[in-house]
């Protein structure tokens, strides 16, 4: 994501969360004007950032099953650009709710972000699709599906 940020100097990247790469992220933020590192953020801060953002990015390098950040982002109407790995492609549909890129491919990540930002009307359609997806994939709907399976 750092390389993608350098390829898109007019796009502001907000990094949230903490982990073993905190020092690296702080250093990148200190030397790149378009990178802001927030560290840990509260739910309220995260909600605010999502409301102010145009695209969410999930640049996973490992096999994730079902990242909750995607569910939360879709519920906020935020299109997602994510790694095409693990269970992520089962959540993010190319061109419908966001875009997928090969894990670790900074150029593909930058291109996916730029494409979404360039086409505002398409991004608005993707945002609507994300909200519809979130409405269909609630905890209640999942429980109802499980109950119908168990009853059948």
């Amino acid at each position: 994501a750092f390389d993608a940020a350098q390829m898109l100097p007019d796009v502001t990247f907000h990094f949230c969360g903490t982990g073993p790469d905190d020092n690296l992220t702080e250093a990148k933020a200190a030397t790149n004007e378009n990178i802001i590192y927030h560290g840990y953020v509260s739910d309220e801060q995260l909600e605010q950032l999502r409301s102010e953002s145009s695209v969410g990015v999930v640049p996973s390098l490992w096999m994730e099953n079902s990242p909750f950040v995607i569910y939360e982002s879709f519920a906020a109407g935020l299109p997602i650009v994510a790694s095409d790995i693990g269970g992520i492609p089962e959540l993010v549909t190319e061109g419908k709710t966001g875009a997928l890129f090969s894990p670790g491919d900074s150029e593909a990540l930058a291109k996916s972000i730029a494409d979404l930002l360039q086409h505002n009307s398409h991004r608005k359609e993707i945002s609507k699709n994300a909200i519809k997806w979130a409405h269909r994939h609630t905890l209640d709907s999942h429980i109802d599906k499980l109950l119908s399976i168990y009853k059948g």
Side-chain angles (χ1 to χ4, degrees), residues 1-9 11-16 24-25 28 32 34-35 56-61 81 83 101-110 113:
F2 299 127
D3 291 339
Q6 288 183 326
M7 292 176 211
L8 299 170
V11 176
T12 302
F13 286 72
H14 294 267
F15 287 79
C16 300
L24 174 62
T25 308
K28 293 289 185 180
N32 293 276
N34 67 327
I35 294 177
V57 177
V58 182
S60 296
L61 296 173
V81 174
S83 298
F101 66 96
S102 295
D105 186 342
S106 299
E107 288 181 20
L109 170 57
I113 293 169

Side-chain angles (χ1 to χ4, degrees), residues 73-122:
S73 296
F74 284 171
L78 190 62
I80 291 292
V81 174
S83 298
D84 188 2
I85 191 169
I88 293 173
E90 294 176 26
L91 305 177
V92 178
T93 304
E94 183 73 38
K96 293 289 253 178
T97 56
L100 297 167
F101 66 96
S102 295
D105 186 342
S106 299
E107 288 181 20
L109 170 57
K111 182 182 181 324
S112 294
I113 293 169
D115 287 350
L116 276 173
L117 294 176
Q118 281 180 336
H119 301 98
N120 192 42
S121 62
H122 183 59

Side-chain angles (χ1 to χ4, degrees), residues 26-140:
E26 287 174 358
K28 293 289 185 180
T31 58
N32 293 276
E33 291 183 15
N34 67 327
I35 294 177
I36 300 171
Y37 178 50
H38 298 275
Y40 171 80
V41 294
S42 68
D43 290 340
E44 294 80 21
Q45 291 169 305
L46 191 54
E47 185 178 326
Q48 182 66 33
L49 284 167
R50 281 193 182 110
S51 74
E52 296 170 354
S53 297
S54 300
V55 176
V57 177
V58 182
S60 296
L61 296 173
W62 53 89
M63 301 292 268
E64 297 213 41
N65 182 28
S66 190
F68 199 60
V69 66
I70 294 175
Y71 290 82
E72 292 174 332
S73 296
F74 284 171
L78 190 62
I80 291 292
V81 174
S83 298
D84 188 2
I85 191 169
I88 293 173
E90 294 176 26
L91 305 177
V92 178
T93 304
E94 183 73 38
K96 293 289 253 178
T97 56
L100 297 167
F101 66 96
S102 295
D105 186 342
S106 299
E107 288 181 20
L109 170 57
K111 182 182 181 324
S112 294
I113 293 169
D115 287 350
L116 276 173
L117 294 176
Q118 281 180 336
H119 301 98
N120 192 42
S121 62
H122 183 59
R123 191 175 71 249
K124 286 181 180 178
E125 180 183 331
I126 289 175
S127 178
K128 289 177 186 176
N129 291 340
I131 292 170
K132 288 177 188 175
W133 186 98
H135 284 289
R136 288 191 316 269
H137 294 87
T138 64
L139 182 56
D140 287 340

